[in-house]
Amino acid sequence: MTERNQVTTLPKMPPNARALLEALEQESQALNQRDQADPAREKLVARRIAAAEQLRQTGWPTRKHENWHYTGLTPLFESSFSLAATPNNDQDPADVAGLSDAALTPYLPPFETIRLVFVDGVFSESLSGGLDAIDDDLSIEMADADAIQSMTLADLRRYQGVQDGTRNAARPVAPSDAPSVDDVFVHINEMCLDQGLTIRLAPNKVLARPLQILQLVTQNDALVNLRVRFELGHHAQMSWLNQCACLDDAARSWVNRLQQVSLADGAVARQVDWQGLNDQSFLSSMTYVDQAPHSQWQNHALALGARWSRQQSYVCLNGEGADAEQNTLAWVRGQQLTDARTETQHGAAHCTSRQLHKFVVQDQGRGVFNGMIGVAKAAQKTDGQMDNKNLLLSPKAKMDTKPQLEIYADDVACSHGCASGEIDANQIFYAQARGIKHDEAVRMITQAFLLEPLESIAHDSLRQWLHDDLSKRLVALPSLQHQRDENA
Amino acid sequence: MLLNVENLHAEVAEGGQPILKGLNLQVEPGEVHAIMGPNGAGKSTLSSVLAGRDDYEVTDGSAQFDGEDLLEMDPEERARKGVFLAFQYPVEIPGVSNKLFMQTAVNAVREERGQAPLDMFDFDEYAQSKMSTLNMRPDLLERSVNVGFSGGEKKRNDMYQMALLEPKLCIMDETDSGLDIDALKVVAKGVNALRSPERSFLVVTHYQRLLDYIKPDVVHVLYDGKIVKSGGFELVEKLENEGYDQIIQSHETGQ
């Protein structure tokens, strides 16, 4: 960006949308002012300025943009957000927020982890645990500039669009850092970038304990801007559990997270991505996964909370024999909107991808799924499957789904499907005829439906713990009978 | 009297087509009654109305079960009080294990009887004890309810559920339709194994074949929503030789 002084005029937009955009610009400028005297941050400042300019050029997406038609941003504009305040003088954020270990209890699995706890995006050493299990093969950097230097927009663009094994043949656009309205949350992540978390695992190292990355949000009207990068060396293996939760049910927050996962030859990474934000909060999340030959990526996303959430994942199978599994479990209720999107690009031969995305939608909830499998010309013998199944539990619940295939190779086995419906009345009656109450039958059937995407979690006690947590949450289902009667 | 149905009238909830038109039926504890009749007579409707399926609306008459008004109860309440419906087509419930399903059901019935719920271990023991009676394969208990079961396995599972719930009244809703002779024997064996002086059966069937194995105490012929003839097992043999025509004719000329 050489012409950084030239300020683009904003596209036309509603006053509250404009207010939020300008508030974000001010946040970005404040970071830059703070950093202007720091030579180590010179590059970062330039990147923030460039990203702010990009946001200015694209503005916000509207319903006229295909990828945003079902995921309007209006609820986000109803609030004003500023970057979450960070503690001064290396104070532990848990002390500032007045948190003790008790706050962690609901989020602690019944097995040992290496636990990294963040409060409003800032690392809390006092709440973290199991750090003694970190050895030389595992590096965890929470520092700034160096760790995030490599995460540029042009890098991310490589994940988008069908490739012919080398470069984008189907959409002949060279990767660039040109702004796009589809990347509006990427631009925001970049312009508000401050701290980054980088986790590296050395080649051949198998990490026995899962890593637990717990993001706790406490502040009201706060934007928590997260940038995380995972790098696994060849034949390294690790699993991690992301958790995103609000400690104050009344505080409204916005978590904007960008994750990158880089898997070298034969590396194996398993992620469980759990979000249980409160009903006021927002989550925008982008995950970019880059897979070398014979690497394995497994992601189980559990979307249980947030007023509005959009989780987009790009998986690039760049090396032969790579394997990716992406499953979603989404429970959408009240006024929630939950959007899950995957773009899986098969760029090399003999790769496998499996996807099962299940939504249960009740009340006036809205679910959105958009999945795309792209197969490049060179990706012969691709085996790609994507399934989206949705259960609608009330007449006002809504699901918009769009599974897509784009195939340029001729010897592949790919399938995609989706089905949305209600619980079969015969199933409920069958249970009732065995003495099981209507609501209990609904809960039993719903839970069984919803748990299927988790079955492939290999870690038994993790899977069981997630099951139990979900069962407890589904106690909220008995309002259904009432709901059904009201709508009848 | 265990079941006392008087002047029962019922119609299809959607559309209002009358199906049952003044049906009377009395069942004493320990008795096995067979309900036979041609297609469209109302056999399945009778089972559904007694079990509480909301596809049908009762417009007149009454049904007392053990001295209580059966028609006022939700389907689950009827089941808890001891009414069991064996399905013509047992329903598949993916993802719900047969074991969890039946543990929930058994504990629902126990709650009604004022008994403490069975925990996982007690239920396992109880489930095991009922298994041998019906030659139930143990692995079927671990699988999802009826998912991937053969026709015969589904019926066996229904009979097994019946054994676990120990009902007072078992309604077999054309449970023999579409079964081969081996599966038919499974059903008959199940019924015979569970017969007791306190337990009654209502065996609704289109065919006499099943009755050859079960030997009912009372046989009723259902036609046009009413019971038009009742008798002993000899009525089954009569129907086998002569079909329904003669009984229907004499009923219609009698009107």
Side-chain angles (χ1 to χ4, degrees):
Chain A
M1 291 310 265
T2 48
E3 299 150 303
R4 72 172 57 157
N5 295 325
Q6 182 192 334
V7 176
T8 309
T9 320
L10 277 175
K12 225 178 140 190
M13 60 180 75
N16 56 2
R18 187 191 183 99
L20 179 60
L21 195 149
E22 286 173 349
L24 294 169
E25 283 181 335
Q26 281 169 20
E27 293 297 316
S28 178
Q29 282 160 11
L31 290 176
N32 286 340
Q33 262 166 27
R34 187 200 64 191
D35 291 343
Q36 62 183 355
D38 183 354
R41 292 210 147 206
E42 196 179 335
K43 248 183 173 169
L44 184 59
V45 168
R47 279 169 61 187
R48 285 191 198 124
I49 292 170
E53 174 64 15
Q54 288 172 326
L55 180 65
R56 215 156 229 276
Q57 283 173 30
T58 63
W60 299 104
T62 68
R63 289 189 185 272
K64 286 183 190 143
H65 294 99
E66 198 190 341
N67 287 326
W68 301 86
H69 184 70
Y70 301 106
T71 318
L73 287 174
T74 322
L76 189 70
F77 303 146
E78 287 163 6
S79 324
S80 91
F81 290 99
S82 45
L83 276 172
T86 49
N88 298 322
N89 309 327
D90 292 332
Q91 249 186 311
D92 193 298
D95 297 338
V96 178
L99 299 181
S100 66
D101 283 353
L104 299 180
T105 313
Y107 310 105
L108 298 182
F111 48 85
E112 291 202 316
T113 63
I114 298 171
R115 184 175 73 245
L116 308 177
V117 180
F118 296 79
V119 178
D120 300 313
V122 179
F123 180 67
S124 164
E125 198 169 349
S126 66
L127 295 180
S128 298
L131 303 181
D132 51 328
I134 299 174
D135 60 18
D136 290 348
D137 288 334
L138 175 66
S139 110
I140 299 177
E141 287 174 43
M142 255 134 332
D144 41 27
D146 274 358
I148 48 184
Q149 225 43 281
S150 59
M151 305 181 194
T152 67
L153 271 184
D155 280 344
L156 301 180
R157 285 303 162 72
R158 291 188 299 111
Y159 299 84
Q160 291 163 325
V162 175
Q163 303 180 351
D164 69 350
T166 50
R167 279 290 167 229
N168 302 16
R171 297 184 205 137
V173 184
S176 73
D177 55 2
S180 155
V181 76
D182 282 337
D183 289 332
V184 62
F185 293 115
V186 178
H187 299 323
I188 293 169
N189 193 274
E190 180 95 346
M191 68 195 259
C192 296
L193 187 55
D194 189 11
Q195 299 239 336
L197 169 64
T198 304
I199 293 162
R200 292 190 183 87
L201 189 63
N204 297 313
K205 170 75 180 180
V206 176
L207 196 66
R209 268 197 217 182
L211 198 66
Q212 181 187 7
I213 303 172
L214 174 54
Q215 297 285 352
L216 296 173
V217 182
T218 68
Q219 295 175 32
N220 192 33
D221 287 337
L223 165 61
V224 177
N225 197 56
L226 304 172
R227 181 75 69 108
V228 188
R229 183 174 169 85
F230 294 89
E231 286 174 24
L232 275 72
H234 67 84
H235 302 97
Q237 294 189 20
M238 72 182 286
S239 24
W240 64 87
L241 166 65
N242 287 333
Q243 293 159 296
C244 218
C246 302
L247 288 186
D248 180 351
D249 275 348
R252 179 173 42 207
S253 62
W254 171 15
V255 176
N256 185 40
R257 183 185 68 177
L258 196 159
Q259 280 200 123
Q260 285 175 281
V261 180
S262 167
L263 304 177
D265 285 26
V268 179
R270 300 188 183 94
Q271 172 179 273
V272 169
D273 202 13
W274 183 97
Q275 75 89 352
L277 292 173
N278 70 20
D279 293 346
Q280 276 72 247
S281 292
F282 297 80
L283 171 68
S284 42
S285 162
M286 293 70 62
T287 300
Y288 300 81
V289 184
D290 197 350
Q291 293 192 247
H294 305 289
S295 62
Q296 293 176 38
W297 166 245
Q298 195 185 44
N299 183 33
H300 290 91
L302 290 86
L304 302 176
R307 162 75 181 85
W308 183 105
S309 70
R310 179 176 169 111
Q311 289 180 276
Q312 166 86 63
S313 145
Y314 300 94
V315 171
C316 245
L317 298 144
N318 288 325
E320 286 200 9
D323 176 85
E325 179 178 3
Q326 302 167 78
N327 291 356
T328 304
L329 175 168
W331 180 32
V332 191
R333 71 212 137 70
Q335 305 287 327
Q336 288 180 327
L337 181 143
T338 303
D339 182 353
R341 316 175 84 81
T342 61
E343 182 171 329
T344 309
Q345 295 295 353
H346 283 260
H350 299 285
C351 292
T352 318
S353 64
R354 291 282 177 275
Q355 298 182 55
L356 176 61
H357 307 278
K358 282 191 154 185
F359 283 66
V360 167
V361 191
Q362 67 181 81
D363 308 323
Q364 285 91 51
R366 291 182 161 224
V368 181
F369 172 73
N370 188 305
M372 148 72 91
I373 300 177
V375 181
K377 227 172 186 170
Q380 300 294 1
K381 304 286 181 191
T382 286
D383 179 356
Q385 285 177 26
M386 175 166 64
D387 258 311
N388 167 230
K389 292 180 185 166
N390 313 302
L391 200 53
L392 302 173
L393 293 181
S394 79
K396 286 180 182 156
K398 193 165 180 268
M399 184 74 207
D400 293 295
T401 173
K402 191 172 166 193
Q404 304 161 77
L405 287 175
E406 216 175 295
I407 300 175
Y408 296 93
D410 47 23
D411 185 9
V412 302
C414 284
S415 71
H416 67 326
C418 79
S420 301
E422 304 169 85
I423 294 183
D424 182 355
N426 281 319
Q427 293 180 339
I428 296 177
F429 180 69
Y430 190 65
Q432 283 180 296
R434 300 294 173 257
I436 299 169
K437 284 183 181 153
H438 176 278
D439 290 346
E440 177 71 20
V442 169
R443 189 164 52 234
M444 213 177 217
I445 295 163
T446 304
Q447 185 170 324
F449 173 87
L450 206 47
L451 287 176
E452 194 193 350
L454 303 186
E455 276 171 21
S456 52
I457 295 178
H459 193 299
D460 286 335
S461 48
L462 171 58
R463 190 181 60 248
Q464 195 55 48
W465 181 62
L466 295 170
H467 273 204
D468 295 347
D469 172 72
L470 201 71
S471 310
K472 279 182 215 140
R473 287 166 186 272
L474 287 180
V475 171
L477 275 175
S479 59
L480 287 172
Q481 170 86 55
H482 180 61
Q483 205 168 77
R484 204 180 51 158
D485 293 346
E486 267 184 358
N487 286 303
Chain B
M1 196 177 299
L2 183 67
L3 179 69
N4 185 14
V5 179
E6 285 183 324
N7 190 34
L8 189 64
H9 286 70
E11 58 183 40
V12 180
E14 264 179 55
Q17 194 201 348
I19 309 279
L20 300 182
K21 303 169 182 172
L23 184 138
N24 294 292
L25 179 66
Q26 281 78 38
V27 181
E28 295 291 344
E31 286 181 350
V32 177
H33 288 234
I35 308 267
M36 303 190 67
N39 282 330
K43 297 190 301 292
S44 251
T45 304
L46 175 62
S47 311
S48 294
V49 167
L50 292 178
R53 200 189 273 271
D54 61 6
D55 297 346
Y56 301 95
E57 199 171 321
V58 174
T59 52
D60 201 3
S62 66
Q64 298 279 319
F65 176 72
D66 228 2
E68 289 185 80
D69 185 353
L70 187 67
L71 303 177
E72 276 298 301
M73 300 177 198
D74 287 335
E76 58 265 38
E77 204 178 339
R78 302 179 196 204
R80 286 165 185 235
K81 289 193 186 285
V83 177
F84 183 89
L85 177 68
F87 280 61
Q88 188 173 0
Y89 303 108
V91 180
E92 299 182 5
I93 310 182
V96 176
S97 86
N98 223 356
K99 192 187 245 177
L100 174 70
F101 184 73
M102 283 320 294
Q103 190 186 348
T104 311
V106 164
N107 283 336
V109 171
R110 290 179 65 87
E111 188 188 0
E112 177 70 30
R113 294 179 191 150
Q115 297 166 321
L118 298 180
D119 65 17
M120 209 167 39
F121 304 104
D122 291 340
F123 178 76
D124 270 350
E125 203 172 302
Y126 178 62
Q128 215 61 43
S129 71
K130 296 283 181 183
M131 216 168 258
S132 50
T133 334
L134 291 158
N135 298 326
M136 174 85 180
R137 289 206 340 252
D139 63 302
L140 293 186
L141 203 53
E142 305 297 335
R143 286 169 36 190
S144 291
V145 179
N146 293 322
V147 177
F149 287 28
S150 70
E153 281 168 343
K154 283 182 180 171
K155 300 291 168 165
R156 200 188 291 271
N157 194 32
D158 246 26
M159 294 301 102
Y160 180 61
Q161 294 179 354
M162 188 160 90
L164 287 172
L165 294 175
E166 301 181 324
K168 291 178 186 160
L169 174 67
C170 306
I171 303 167
M172 321 287 293
D173 179 20
E174 303 200 48
T175 187
D176 52 340
S177 55
L179 290 191
D180 60 25
I181 193 74
D182 291 329
L184 201 71
K185 283 180 180 167
V186 168
V187 174
K189 203 180 159 196
V191 170
N192 290 330
L194 295 171
R195 269 172 111 148
S196 84
E198 295 83 36
R199 184 169 298 137
S200 310
F201 289 83
L202 202 56
V203 183
V204 179
T205 179
H206 187 67
Y207 307 101
Q208 40 273 45
R209 227 169 33 160
L210 177 64
L211 303 179
D212 291 340
Y213 295 103
I214 291 181
K215 297 274 190 289
D217 303 308
V218 188
V219 177
H220 306 277
V221 176
L222 181 65
Y223 173 69
D224 195 25
K226 285 182 207 168
I227 285 175
V228 295
K229 193 169 179 66
S230 301
F233 187 67
E234 72 284 352
L235 192 54
V236 176
E237 284 160 356
K238 188 173 150 75
L239 285 170
E240 196 158 359
N241 298 327
E242 299 170 11
Y244 291 109
D245 288 354
Q246 212 189 4
I247 292 173
I248 290 167
Q249 262 172 22
S250 65
H251 165 67
E252 288 190 331
T253 49
Q255 273 187 335

